[in-house]
Amino acid sequence: VGGSRCDFFWKSRICEPFYINGRIVNMGCGAENAPTARSCRCCDNTLIDPNEKLLRKAYSSNEFKPVHQFVMKPTPNNGVIIEYHLPDGELASKYYSPFSDNKIAQRIFYNQVVKHHANTPTLKSLYRKARNAGELCGLNKAFDTVGAITHRKNDKGESIVGKFMYRVDMQA
């Protein structure tokens, strides 16, 4: 038949006013669009804000929870479990493979643990000298530098630690 597009949708998203920080940016035209359309097919108004999920996920400074206890535990496969004991029995834990042959696993451990807990050259030197998970966990007290963290669990129940506050920062 002709070259025009069919305007019928089984399900649709209506082009409504688009707001940023409580201010109207575009009034919208009321046209029906596909349910997954990011912008209106008629007036190019934003229908799905690409930043919406990011804005709702940000951590605020009042989400910090004090760390009552920091524990590193060795695992049978020469890995390490890092635990942060928080108020009300909450536990943030994460598994790492610092002694794996996999360079990426080593880099993840360095970036997510060593950089946050070994904040002096002396502590970083102690980390480099450790040859297995048992030796590394023996340095538990030296690495106990974090005073508070932001913690959430994802939809799979895994711990997500967002930000760190060091004991030195908390005393200042």
Side-chain angles (χ1 to χ4, degrees), residues 47-146:
L47 300 175
I48 298 175
D49 185 3
N51 295 321
E52 182 178 6
K53 289 186 178 180
L54 295 173
L55 295 173
R56 304 223 191 307
K57 297 287 182 186
Y59 288 99
S60 65
S61 59
N62 63 357
E63 287 186 79
F64 276 101
K65 300 172 185 177
V67 175
H68 293 310
Q69 185 180 12
F70 167 77
V71 179
M72 277 194 295
K73 295 179 180 177
T75 63
N77 60 352
N78 211 23
V80 175
I81 294 178
I82 303 289
E83 292 180 347
Y84 301 96
H85 295 262
L86 306 171
D88 301 325
E90 188 177 353
L91 178 69
S93 65
K94 184 95 176 173
Y95 171 81
Y96 295 96
S97 298
F99 301 101
S100 167
D101 293 335
N102 184 330
K103 296 292 181 194
I104 294 172
Q106 292 173 9
R107 194 172 319 127
I108 288 171
F109 179 77
Y110 187 82
N111 288 332
Q112 293 183 4
V113 178
V114 176
K115 280 187 176 181
H116 292 291
H117 295 282
N119 50 7
T120 65
T122 306
L123 286 177
K124 287 181 181 164
S125 170
L126 287 173
Y127 158 70
R128 283 189 204 90
K129 290 178 184 174
R131 296 291 163 229
N132 58 48
E135 286 181 22
L136 183 63
C137 292
L139 303 170
N140 193 44
K141 292 293 180 204
F143 285 113
D144 190 11
T145 60
V146 173

